Amino acid sequence: FDFTYQARLDGKGKAVGILVFAIEVTERKREEIRKNDFIGIVSHELKTPLTSLQAIVQLAGIRLRKAGSADGFLIDGMDRAAGQVKRMTEMINGFLNVSRLESGQIHIEKTQIDFTSLVVEAMEELQLSSSGHQLVMDCRDVHMVMADREKIISVVTNLMGNAVKYSPTGGRVEMDCSCNNGELVFSVSDQGLGIAPHDLERIFERYYRVSGRQTKNISGFGIGLYLSAEIVRLHGGKIWAQSELGKGSTFYFSLPLED
Ligand code: ADP
């Protein structure tokens, strides 16, 4: 059951009772599970053909170049096709991860990692594809932390990717990390669209996207922050954001520092 409450007031506005609404959600939950299973199956089925398509397109591009082809249209087309297939693969991986997460199949394997170098690696990767954004990293100290490197890099990449995606070309994106009171805190700040308070409350929900004129043409499925939040939670950390509409946002996450 989902419960909601409402105060009963008398004519003078004094509370005289409380109404409790209990809404049966079993069917809705079942529907959610069915939807999640369906998405999981479709994503799984699409993954294999997409992987071979990606390999074929990449190989074709390499061969054309090696053969010294002068067909610029074809070479350019292959590069673009490879880029699109890569995007599709990333989307499918996102859906697969949601499905894995909800069926308890995501496991955290912690090792000792150098967090700063992980952020630098993610920045370099993003710099290759970002449209002229200024990525700046304030922290240079080595911060060692126990974490699942692959999963935490996906969180860092997601937050930095969003900062780029939701701010204008050439915008400044700042990363920072610090260790205090037994935890590491990482932040990503942008000077982009910003998020209204009522959306800010919900952006970590699965499939939640801010709707509006400015975000209408920005593609996405609202799963990146949901996955990031779950990964951080599985590490025993916290994730949160501060934002001002029209000014920009800062996303934070913390990880406990273990011995
Ligand atoms: P996606 O970007 O694919 O929609 P996310 O889960 O990563 O999914 O983000 C959820 C929503 O939160 C986005 O649709 C966007 O509206 C908002 N959002 C996330 N990061 C930012 C940011 N840095 N600036 C403004 N809005 C953001």
Side-chain angles (χ1 to χ4, degrees), residues 158-167 188-196 199-200 202-211 215 218-228 241-245 248-251:
N158 178 244
L159 297 184
M160 292 191 328
N162 277 350
V164 166
K165 189 162 127 183
Y166 296 102
S167 55
V188 182
S189 304
D190 65 62
Q191 300 167 333
L193 301 182
I195 307 163
D199 287 314
L200 197 58
R202 303 195 54 193
I203 48 170
F204 295 101
E205 288 174 20
R206 187 184 53 170
Y207 304 134
Y208 190 82
R209 302 203 73 219
V210 175
S211 55
T215 49
I218 305 178
S219 66
F221 294 101
I223 55 180
L225 287 180
Y226 168 71
L227 283 172
S228 298
Q242 288 172 344
S243 187
E244 204 176 325
L245 203 57
S249 315
T250 303
F251 281 79

Short mmCIF file of all heavy atoms in Angstrom, two decimals, residues 158-167 188-196 199-200 202-211 215 218-228 241-245 248-251, ligand 1:
data_model
loop_
_atom_site.label_atom_id
_atom_site.label_comp_id
_atom_site.label_asym_id
_atom_site.label_seq_id
_atom_site.Cartn_x
_atom_site.Cartn_y
_atom_site.Cartn_z
N ASN A 158 29.18 10.06 -15.76
CA ASN A 158 27.80 10.49 -15.92
C ASN A 158 27.60 11.93 -15.43
O ASN A 158 26.98 12.74 -16.12
CB ASN A 158 26.88 9.52 -15.17
CG ASN A 158 25.44 9.93 -15.26
OD1 ASN A 158 24.81 10.25 -14.27
ND2 ASN A 158 24.91 10.00 -16.46
N LEU A 159 28.16 12.25 -14.26
CA LEU A 159 27.96 13.61 -13.71
C LEU A 159 28.66 14.64 -14.58
O LEU A 159 28.11 15.71 -14.87
CB LEU A 159 28.49 13.69 -12.27
CG LEU A 159 27.79 12.80 -11.23
CD1 LEU A 159 28.35 13.06 -9.85
CD2 LEU A 159 26.28 13.02 -11.23
N MET A 160 29.89 14.30 -15.06
CA MET A 160 30.60 15.26 -15.91
C MET A 160 29.90 15.37 -17.27
O MET A 160 29.79 16.47 -17.83
CB MET A 160 32.06 14.81 -16.11
CG MET A 160 32.81 14.92 -14.81
SD MET A 160 34.60 14.74 -14.88
CE MET A 160 34.92 13.67 -16.15
N GLY A 161 29.43 14.25 -17.77
CA GLY A 161 28.72 14.24 -19.06
C GLY A 161 27.47 15.10 -18.99
O GLY A 161 27.17 15.87 -19.90
N ASN A 162 26.73 15.01 -17.88
CA ASN A 162 25.53 15.84 -17.71
C ASN A 162 25.89 17.32 -17.64
O ASN A 162 25.18 18.16 -18.19
CB ASN A 162 24.79 15.44 -16.43
CG ASN A 162 23.88 14.25 -16.64
OD1 ASN A 162 23.66 13.82 -17.77
ND2 ASN A 162 23.37 13.70 -15.56
N ALA A 163 26.98 17.62 -16.92
CA ALA A 163 27.40 19.03 -16.79
C ALA A 163 27.65 19.62 -18.18
O ALA A 163 27.29 20.77 -18.46
CB ALA A 163 28.65 19.12 -15.93
N VAL A 164 28.25 18.81 -19.05
CA VAL A 164 28.52 19.26 -20.42
C VAL A 164 27.22 19.34 -21.23
O VAL A 164 26.95 20.33 -21.92
CB VAL A 164 29.54 18.29 -21.09
CG1 VAL A 164 29.60 18.49 -22.59
CG2 VAL A 164 30.92 18.45 -20.46
N LYS A 165 26.42 18.27 -21.08
CA LYS A 165 25.18 18.16 -21.87
C LYS A 165 24.18 19.27 -21.56
O LYS A 165 23.48 19.76 -22.44
CB LYS A 165 24.59 16.79 -21.53
CG LYS A 165 23.43 16.32 -22.34
CD LYS A 165 23.29 14.80 -22.14
CE LYS A 165 21.92 14.41 -21.72
NZ LYS A 165 21.76 12.97 -21.45
N TYR A 166 24.11 19.67 -20.27
CA TYR A 166 23.12 20.66 -19.87
C TYR A 166 23.71 22.05 -19.67
O TYR A 166 23.19 22.85 -18.90
CB TYR A 166 22.38 20.18 -18.62
CG TYR A 166 21.59 18.92 -18.87
CD1 TYR A 166 22.05 17.68 -18.45
CD2 TYR A 166 20.41 18.97 -19.61
CE1 TYR A 166 21.34 16.51 -18.73
CE2 TYR A 166 19.69 17.83 -19.89
CZ TYR A 166 20.16 16.60 -19.45
OH TYR A 166 19.46 15.46 -19.74
N SER A 167 24.84 22.34 -20.36
CA SER A 167 25.35 23.71 -20.32
C SER A 167 25.81 24.10 -21.72
O SER A 167 26.14 23.24 -22.54
CB SER A 167 26.45 23.89 -19.28
OG SER A 167 27.49 22.99 -19.47
N VAL A 188 31.02 18.19 -9.09
CA VAL A 188 31.08 18.68 -10.47
C VAL A 188 30.17 19.89 -10.57
O VAL A 188 28.97 19.79 -10.28
CB VAL A 188 30.56 17.63 -11.49
CG1 VAL A 188 30.68 18.14 -12.91
CG2 VAL A 188 31.28 16.32 -11.35
N SER A 189 30.72 21.06 -10.93
CA SER A 189 29.89 22.27 -11.04
C SER A 189 29.83 22.73 -12.49
O SER A 189 30.84 22.69 -13.19
CB SER A 189 30.50 23.42 -10.25
OG SER A 189 30.68 23.04 -8.94
N ASP A 190 28.65 23.17 -12.89
CA ASP A 190 28.54 23.75 -14.23
C ASP A 190 27.81 25.08 -14.16
O ASP A 190 27.23 25.43 -13.13
CB ASP A 190 27.82 22.78 -15.18
CG ASP A 190 26.37 22.53 -14.78
OD1 ASP A 190 25.58 23.50 -14.78
OD2 ASP A 190 26.01 21.37 -14.49
N GLN A 191 27.88 25.81 -15.25
CA GLN A 191 27.17 27.10 -15.32
C GLN A 191 26.06 27.00 -16.37
O GLN A 191 25.88 27.90 -17.17
CB GLN A 191 28.17 28.20 -15.69
CG GLN A 191 29.28 28.33 -14.68
CD GLN A 191 30.43 29.17 -15.17
OE1 GLN A 191 30.69 29.27 -16.38
NE2 GLN A 191 31.16 29.77 -14.25
N GLY A 192 25.38 25.88 -16.32
CA GLY A 192 24.40 25.60 -17.37
C GLY A 192 22.97 25.98 -17.02
O GLY A 192 22.72 26.97 -16.33
N LEU A 193 22.03 25.11 -17.47
CA LEU A 193 20.59 25.41 -17.36
C LEU A 193 20.09 25.55 -15.93
O LEU A 193 19.17 26.30 -15.66
CB LEU A 193 19.78 24.29 -18.01
CG LEU A 193 20.03 23.97 -19.49
CD1 LEU A 193 19.10 22.87 -19.93
CD2 LEU A 193 19.80 25.23 -20.31
N GLY A 194 20.70 24.79 -15.03
CA GLY A 194 20.20 24.76 -13.66
C GLY A 194 18.90 23.96 -13.58
O GLY A 194 18.33 23.58 -14.61
N ILE A 195 18.45 23.69 -12.36
CA ILE A 195 17.27 22.83 -12.16
C ILE A 195 16.35 23.49 -11.13
O ILE A 195 16.82 23.92 -10.06
CB ILE A 195 17.70 21.43 -11.65
CG1 ILE A 195 18.77 20.82 -12.59
CG2 ILE A 195 16.53 20.48 -11.50
CD1 ILE A 195 19.54 19.68 -11.97
N ALA A 196 15.07 23.54 -11.43
CA ALA A 196 14.10 24.15 -10.50
C ALA A 196 13.94 23.25 -9.26
O ALA A 196 14.09 22.02 -9.38
CB ALA A 196 12.76 24.31 -11.20
N ASP A 199 11.98 19.98 -9.50
CA ASP A 199 12.63 18.92 -10.29
C ASP A 199 13.83 18.36 -9.53
O ASP A 199 14.10 17.15 -9.59
CB ASP A 199 13.11 19.48 -11.64
CG ASP A 199 11.98 19.74 -12.60
OD1 ASP A 199 11.11 18.85 -12.72
OD2 ASP A 199 11.94 20.81 -13.21
N LEU A 200 14.53 19.25 -8.83
CA LEU A 200 15.73 18.84 -8.09
C LEU A 200 15.42 17.70 -7.11
O LEU A 200 16.22 16.80 -6.92
CB LEU A 200 16.28 20.06 -7.34
CG LEU A 200 17.72 19.99 -6.84
CD1 LEU A 200 18.69 19.75 -7.97
CD2 LEU A 200 18.09 21.28 -6.11
N ARG A 202 13.48 15.34 -7.60
CA ARG A 202 13.12 14.08 -8.25
C ARG A 202 14.13 13.54 -9.25
O ARG A 202 13.96 12.45 -9.79
CB ARG A 202 11.77 14.27 -8.97
CG ARG A 202 10.68 14.73 -8.04
CD ARG A 202 9.33 14.56 -8.64
NE ARG A 202 9.09 13.19 -9.10
CZ ARG A 202 8.09 12.85 -9.89
NH1 ARG A 202 7.25 13.74 -10.30
NH2 ARG A 202 7.94 11.60 -10.27
N ILE A 203 15.20 14.30 -9.51
CA ILE A 203 16.10 13.90 -10.61
C ILE A 203 16.83 12.57 -10.41
O ILE A 203 17.31 12.00 -11.37
CB ILE A 203 17.15 15.00 -10.93
CG1 ILE A 203 17.80 15.47 -9.65
CG2 ILE A 203 16.54 16.14 -11.74
CD1 ILE A 203 18.99 16.36 -9.89
N PHE A 204 16.87 12.07 -9.14
CA PHE A 204 17.55 10.79 -8.93
C PHE A 204 16.58 9.60 -9.07
O PHE A 204 16.96 8.47 -8.89
CB PHE A 204 18.23 10.75 -7.55
CG PHE A 204 19.36 11.75 -7.44
CD1 PHE A 204 19.20 12.95 -6.78
CD2 PHE A 204 20.59 11.48 -8.04
CE1 PHE A 204 20.24 13.87 -6.70
CE2 PHE A 204 21.64 12.38 -7.96
CZ PHE A 204 21.47 13.59 -7.30
N GLU A 205 15.30 9.93 -9.42
CA GLU A 205 14.34 8.85 -9.61
C GLU A 205 14.54 8.21 -10.98
O GLU A 205 14.93 8.88 -11.94
CB GLU A 205 12.90 9.41 -9.57
CG GLU A 205 12.46 9.83 -8.21
CD GLU A 205 11.09 10.51 -8.24
OE1 GLU A 205 10.32 10.33 -9.21
OE2 GLU A 205 10.81 11.25 -7.29
N ARG A 206 14.19 6.94 -11.05
CA ARG A 206 14.34 6.21 -12.31
C ARG A 206 13.45 6.82 -13.40
O ARG A 206 12.27 7.09 -13.15
CB ARG A 206 13.96 4.75 -12.07
CG ARG A 206 14.23 3.84 -13.23
CD ARG A 206 13.73 2.47 -12.93
NE ARG A 206 12.33 2.51 -12.49
CZ ARG A 206 11.58 1.45 -12.33
NH1 ARG A 206 12.08 0.27 -12.51
NH2 ARG A 206 10.33 1.56 -11.96
N TYR A 207 14.02 7.04 -14.55
CA TYR A 207 13.34 7.57 -15.76
C TYR A 207 12.86 9.02 -15.60
O TYR A 207 12.09 9.50 -16.42
CB TYR A 207 12.15 6.72 -16.20
CG TYR A 207 12.48 5.26 -16.45
CD1 TYR A 207 11.68 4.23 -15.95
CD2 TYR A 207 13.60 4.90 -17.19
CE1 TYR A 207 11.99 2.90 -16.17
CE2 TYR A 207 13.91 3.57 -17.42
CZ TYR A 207 13.10 2.58 -16.91
OH TYR A 207 13.41 1.27 -17.11
N TYR A 208 13.26 9.72 -14.53
CA TYR A 208 12.79 11.10 -14.37
C TYR A 208 13.64 12.05 -15.21
O TYR A 208 14.86 12.04 -15.14
CB TYR A 208 12.83 11.55 -12.90
CG TYR A 208 12.12 12.88 -12.72
CD1 TYR A 208 10.74 12.93 -12.60
CD2 TYR A 208 12.83 14.09 -12.74
CE1 TYR A 208 10.07 14.14 -12.47
CE2 TYR A 208 12.17 15.30 -12.62
CZ TYR A 208 10.79 15.32 -12.49
OH TYR A 208 10.14 16.53 -12.38
N ARG A 209 12.96 12.87 -16.01
CA ARG A 209 13.65 13.89 -16.80
C ARG A 209 12.93 15.22 -16.60
O ARG A 209 11.71 15.26 -16.47
CB ARG A 209 13.62 13.55 -18.30
CG ARG A 209 14.23 12.20 -18.64
CD ARG A 209 14.67 12.18 -20.09
NE ARG A 209 15.86 12.98 -20.29
CZ ARG A 209 16.09 13.74 -21.34
NH1 ARG A 209 15.20 13.83 -22.28
NH2 ARG A 209 17.22 14.43 -21.44
N VAL A 210 13.69 16.30 -16.63
CA VAL A 210 13.07 17.62 -16.51
C VAL A 210 12.43 17.94 -17.86
O VAL A 210 13.08 17.81 -18.89
CB VAL A 210 14.14 18.68 -16.17
CG1 VAL A 210 13.54 20.08 -16.17
CG2 VAL A 210 14.78 18.37 -14.82
N SER A 211 11.15 18.33 -17.83
CA SER A 211 10.54 18.66 -19.12
C SER A 211 10.49 20.17 -19.26
O SER A 211 10.36 20.90 -18.27
CB SER A 211 9.14 18.06 -19.21
OG SER A 211 8.39 18.49 -18.10
N THR A 215 15.10 21.70 -22.36
CA THR A 215 15.61 20.32 -22.31
C THR A 215 14.96 19.42 -23.38
O THR A 215 15.37 18.28 -23.55
CB THR A 215 15.34 19.69 -20.92
OG1 THR A 215 13.98 19.91 -20.58
CG2 THR A 215 16.24 20.29 -19.86
N ILE A 218 17.27 17.80 -25.85
CA ILE A 218 18.46 17.10 -25.33
C ILE A 218 18.06 15.66 -25.05
O ILE A 218 17.11 15.40 -24.31
CB ILE A 218 18.98 17.78 -24.04
CG1 ILE A 218 19.25 19.28 -24.30
CG2 ILE A 218 20.22 17.08 -23.51
CD1 ILE A 218 19.74 20.07 -23.10
N SER A 219 18.76 14.73 -25.71
CA SER A 219 18.31 13.34 -25.61
C SER A 219 18.73 12.68 -24.30
O SER A 219 19.70 13.09 -23.65
CB SER A 219 18.85 12.54 -26.79
OG SER A 219 20.25 12.46 -26.68
N GLY A 220 18.01 11.67 -23.90
CA GLY A 220 18.32 10.95 -22.67
C GLY A 220 17.10 10.18 -22.19
O GLY A 220 16.00 10.37 -22.72
N PHE A 221 17.31 9.31 -21.20
CA PHE A 221 16.21 8.47 -20.71
C PHE A 221 15.97 8.61 -19.21
O PHE A 221 15.17 7.90 -18.63
CB PHE A 221 16.48 6.99 -21.03
CG PHE A 221 16.47 6.70 -22.50
CD1 PHE A 221 17.65 6.56 -23.19
CD2 PHE A 221 15.27 6.58 -23.18
CE1 PHE A 221 17.64 6.29 -24.55
CE2 PHE A 221 15.25 6.32 -24.53
CZ PHE A 221 16.44 6.17 -25.23
N GLY A 222 16.74 9.48 -18.58
CA GLY A 222 16.57 9.66 -17.14
C GLY A 222 17.02 8.46 -16.33
O GLY A 222 16.40 8.15 -15.30
N ILE A 223 18.06 7.79 -16.78
CA ILE A 223 18.53 6.66 -15.96
C ILE A 223 19.93 6.88 -15.39
O ILE A 223 20.32 6.20 -14.44
CB ILE A 223 18.46 5.30 -16.71
CG1 ILE A 223 19.21 5.34 -18.03
CG2 ILE A 223 17.06 4.85 -16.89
CD1 ILE A 223 19.17 4.02 -18.77
N GLY A 224 20.67 7.84 -15.95
CA GLY A 224 22.05 8.05 -15.51
C GLY A 224 22.16 8.40 -14.03
O GLY A 224 22.94 7.79 -13.29
N LEU A 225 21.35 9.34 -13.57
CA LEU A 225 21.43 9.76 -12.16
C LEU A 225 20.88 8.68 -11.23
O LEU A 225 21.38 8.48 -10.13
CB LEU A 225 20.68 11.07 -11.93
CG LEU A 225 21.35 12.33 -12.48
CD1 LEU A 225 20.51 13.57 -12.18
CD2 LEU A 225 22.75 12.52 -11.90
N TYR A 226 19.85 7.97 -11.71
CA TYR A 226 19.29 6.87 -10.91
C TYR A 226 20.37 5.80 -10.67
O TYR A 226 20.61 5.37 -9.54
CB TYR A 226 18.08 6.29 -11.65
CG TYR A 226 17.58 4.98 -11.09
CD1 TYR A 226 16.93 4.95 -9.86
CD2 TYR A 226 17.77 3.79 -11.78
CE1 TYR A 226 16.48 3.74 -9.34
CE2 TYR A 226 17.32 2.59 -11.27
CZ TYR A 226 16.68 2.56 -10.05
OH TYR A 226 16.24 1.38 -9.54
N LEU A 227 21.04 5.41 -11.77
CA LEU A 227 22.10 4.40 -11.64
C LEU A 227 23.24 4.91 -10.77
O LEU A 227 23.75 4.19 -9.91
CB LEU A 227 22.66 4.03 -13.03
CG LEU A 227 21.80 3.10 -13.88
CD1 LEU A 227 22.38 2.97 -15.28
CD2 LEU A 227 21.70 1.71 -13.23
N SER A 228 23.62 6.18 -10.99
CA SER A 228 24.72 6.76 -10.20
C SER A 228 24.38 6.72 -8.72
O SER A 228 25.20 6.34 -7.88
CB SER A 228 24.97 8.21 -10.61
OG SER A 228 25.36 8.26 -11.96
N ALA A 241 22.54 17.18 -4.91
CA ALA A 241 22.82 18.26 -5.87
C ALA A 241 22.28 19.57 -5.35
O ALA A 241 21.31 19.60 -4.58
CB ALA A 241 22.16 17.93 -7.20
N GLN A 242 22.94 20.66 -5.77
CA GLN A 242 22.44 22.01 -5.49
C GLN A 242 22.32 22.68 -6.83
O GLN A 242 23.19 22.48 -7.70
CB GLN A 242 23.44 22.77 -4.63
CG GLN A 242 23.49 22.28 -3.21
CD GLN A 242 24.61 22.90 -2.42
OE1 GLN A 242 25.53 23.48 -2.99
NE2 GLN A 242 24.55 22.76 -1.12
N SER A 243 21.29 23.49 -7.00
CA SER A 243 21.15 24.10 -8.31
C SER A 243 20.31 25.36 -8.25
O SER A 243 19.47 25.53 -7.36
CB SER A 243 20.48 23.09 -9.26
OG SER A 243 20.49 23.60 -10.56
N GLU A 244 20.55 26.21 -9.21
CA GLU A 244 19.73 27.41 -9.35
C GLU A 244 19.37 27.55 -10.82
O GLU A 244 20.27 27.52 -11.69
CB GLU A 244 20.52 28.64 -8.87
CG GLU A 244 19.60 29.74 -8.44
CD GLU A 244 20.36 30.93 -7.87
OE1 GLU A 244 21.40 30.74 -7.22
OE2 GLU A 244 19.93 32.05 -8.14
N LEU A 245 18.07 27.67 -11.05
CA LEU A 245 17.60 27.73 -12.43
C LEU A 245 18.25 28.90 -13.17
O LEU A 245 18.28 30.02 -12.68
CB LEU A 245 16.08 27.87 -12.43
CG LEU A 245 15.34 27.42 -13.69
CD1 LEU A 245 15.65 25.98 -14.02
CD2 LEU A 245 13.84 27.60 -13.51
N GLY A 248 23.15 27.39 -12.94
CA GLY A 248 24.02 26.23 -12.97
C GLY A 248 23.77 25.27 -11.82
O GLY A 248 22.93 25.53 -10.95
N SER A 249 24.51 24.17 -11.83
CA SER A 249 24.29 23.12 -10.83
C SER A 249 25.61 22.60 -10.31
O SER A 249 26.62 22.64 -11.01
CB SER A 249 23.55 21.93 -11.45
OG SER A 249 22.48 22.36 -12.24
N THR A 250 25.56 22.07 -9.09
CA THR A 250 26.71 21.32 -8.57
C THR A 250 26.19 19.98 -8.06
O THR A 250 25.23 19.94 -7.27
CB THR A 250 27.41 22.07 -7.42
OG1 THR A 250 27.80 23.35 -7.89
CG2 THR A 250 28.64 21.32 -6.94
N PHE A 251 26.78 18.93 -8.56
CA PHE A 251 26.44 17.58 -8.11
C PHE A 251 27.58 17.07 -7.23
O PHE A 251 28.75 17.27 -7.56
CB PHE A 251 26.25 16.63 -9.31
CG PHE A 251 24.91 16.80 -9.95
CD1 PHE A 251 24.67 17.86 -10.82
CD2 PHE A 251 23.87 15.92 -9.68
CE1 PHE A 251 23.42 18.04 -11.40
CE2 PHE A 251 22.62 16.09 -10.25
CZ PHE A 251 22.39 17.16 -11.11
P1 ADP B 1 19.31 12.04 -18.83
O1 ADP B 1 20.37 13.10 -18.87
O2 ADP B 1 19.59 10.90 -19.73
O3 ADP B 1 17.95 12.58 -19.01
P2 ADP B 1 19.95 11.68 -15.98
O4 ADP B 1 19.38 10.69 -15.05
O5 ADP B 1 21.42 11.74 -16.11
O6 ADP B 1 19.27 11.37 -17.37
O7 ADP B 1 19.42 13.11 -15.54
C1 ADP B 1 18.04 13.29 -15.17
C2 ADP B 1 17.59 14.71 -15.46
O8 ADP B 1 18.25 15.61 -14.56
C3 ADP B 1 17.97 15.18 -16.85
O9 ADP B 1 16.98 14.86 -17.77
C4 ADP B 1 18.14 16.69 -16.67
O10 ADP B 1 16.91 17.32 -16.86
C5 ADP B 1 18.54 16.83 -15.22
N1 ADP B 1 20.00 17.10 -15.09
C6 ADP B 1 20.96 16.21 -14.79
N2 ADP B 1 22.16 16.81 -14.70
C7 ADP B 1 21.96 18.12 -14.94
C8 ADP B 1 22.80 19.29 -14.98
N3 ADP B 1 24.12 19.21 -14.75
N4 ADP B 1 22.21 20.48 -15.26
C9 ADP B 1 20.87 20.58 -15.48
N5 ADP B 1 20.04 19.52 -15.46
C10 ADP B 1 20.55 18.31 -15.19
#
